[in-house]
Amino acid sequence: MEEKLPAGIKPYLDKLTLGVTRILETSPGVAEVTFVEKEPAERHTIISWEQKNSCVLPEDLKNFYLMTDGFQMTWSVKTDDTPMPLGSMVINSVSKLCRLGGSSMYTLPSAPTLADLEDDTDEEGNGDKPEKPHFDSRSLIFELDPCNGNGKVCLVYKHAEPVVSPDTEIWFLDRALYWHFLTKTFTAYYRLLITHLGLPQWQYAFTSYGVSPQAKQWFNMYKPITINTALLSEEADSFVNKLDPNKVFKSKNKTPVLKKKQASQPPGSQKSHTSMTSAKTSSLAGNSSRK
């Protein structure tokens, strides 16, 4: 059931959205904030999913699904009095928590899969860099958020052999199929999702190449409610137009050009000019007398 959030939002919805709806509704240009209310997931649905995928959902994610079977909240901005969808916050339901990289029963035996992208020369986690997920049987990867086609936020079980480890992490898979670590728990990721207001490409703020210039404009207009803005401000100068309009359109003070006085004509030319005018006068007088 889809509903627009009224002024007196339900108390549990206000807690679920961490009160971000109030901030959006008071932001300039925001046209509408829409929340899709979903029923809690049945416990047997979660158990069935765990049995099918041979793994156990993290406790915080399981409690989330027992409260609401997925999450979807969108908001728009007005452009020429027409609402344009901008922010999108999505967490797939249990039924859409599908595995990535798994071979389908309809796939031909010789068809390429994501597992073929694995490279044994990939750097493993060391020090501050965690080990990246694998598309093959070493990891189990499930899609949490399709990110409107800008990538995928995934729930990752990194150690699936010989037994699936209950430890999970949240990773972002960009469109070039590179992995970027987000958080260790679903609760931490959910807070990131809410505090970034679902702005387009916000996940790229946690990559080495950052968000696109267009997305950065939206970030500057509707600033995320987060303290982790180092990656956004790192190369801020590269997006700034350094032209100063005051200097570009400044009227230049033109120095007045003094007109030079015409040189006095020589006596000879002055006499010829006088004779010509007297000749014209006499001819006009002759014509008038004839009449």
Side-chain angles (χ1 to χ4, degrees), residues 72-288:
Q72 183 176 351
M73 182 176 175
T74 58
W75 54 280
S76 306
V77 293
K78 271 190 177 181
T79 56
D80 297 332
D81 296 330
T82 303
M84 182 189 74
L86 183 65
S88 177
M89 292 165 262
V90 175
I91 294 174
N92 286 338
S93 60
V94 177
S95 60
K96 293 184 178 179
L97 195 61
C98 301
R99 183 181 174 185
L100 295 185
S103 59
S104 173
M105 59 183 299
Y106 302 105
T107 304
L108 296 174
S110 58
T113 62
L114 287 175
D116 296 327
L117 298 174
E118 289 297 330
D119 188 1
D120 294 335
T121 60
D122 286 347
E123 295 182 1
E124 298 296 333
N126 52 7
D128 56 342
K129 293 184 179 180
E131 178 185 351
K132 293 182 180 180
H134 299 280
F135 290 113
D136 55 19
S137 59
R138 287 175 287 179
S139 302
L140 290 180
I141 305 167
F142 300 96
E143 179 184 317
L144 273 176
D145 182 359
C147 304
N148 285 333
N150 293 316
K152 295 181 184 296
V153 173
C154 301
L155 174 71
V156 178
Y157 297 79
K158 288 198 299 185
H159 305 289
E161 292 181 344
V163 181
V164 180
S165 172
D167 298 329
T168 59
E169 293 175 348
I170 309 296
W171 286 72
F172 175 60
L173 180 66
D174 65 19
R175 296 189 63 178
L177 300 181
Y178 285 101
W179 288 105
H180 309 277
F181 176 76
L182 292 179
T183 62
K184 285 186 172 294
T185 64
F186 169 77
T187 302
Y189 167 72
Y190 181 74
R191 288 173 180 167
L192 282 181
L193 174 66
I194 295 296
T195 55
H196 281 84
L197 307 177
L199 286 165
Q201 304 177 20
W202 71 265
Q203 297 88 354
Y204 283 88
F206 296 87
T207 65
S208 58
Y209 30 86
V211 298
S212 66
Q214 182 181 6
K216 189 171 177 61
Q217 297 297 327
W218 293 117
F219 270 72
N220 291 331
M221 289 183 64
Y222 303 97
K223 295 186 183 297
I225 316 164
T226 176
I227 59 173
N228 187 12
T229 55
L231 289 173
L232 292 177
S233 59
E234 203 169 88
E235 298 180 357
D237 293 340
S238 60
F239 301 98
V240 175
N241 189 346
K242 296 184 178 181
L243 288 176
D244 187 356
N246 295 326
K247 293 182 179 179
V248 173
F249 299 105
K250 186 177 180 181
S251 59
K252 298 181 179 179
N253 295 326
K254 296 183 179 180
T255 56
V257 179
L258 298 176
K259 293 184 178 180
K260 295 182 180 179
K261 293 183 179 180
Q262 293 182 354
S264 57
Q265 295 180 351
S269 62
Q270 189 172 2
K271 288 181 181 179
S272 62
H273 179 70
T274 305
S275 61
M276 288 176 65
T277 54
S278 60
K280 288 182 180 179
T281 304
S282 61
S283 63
L284 289 173
N287 292 333
S288 60

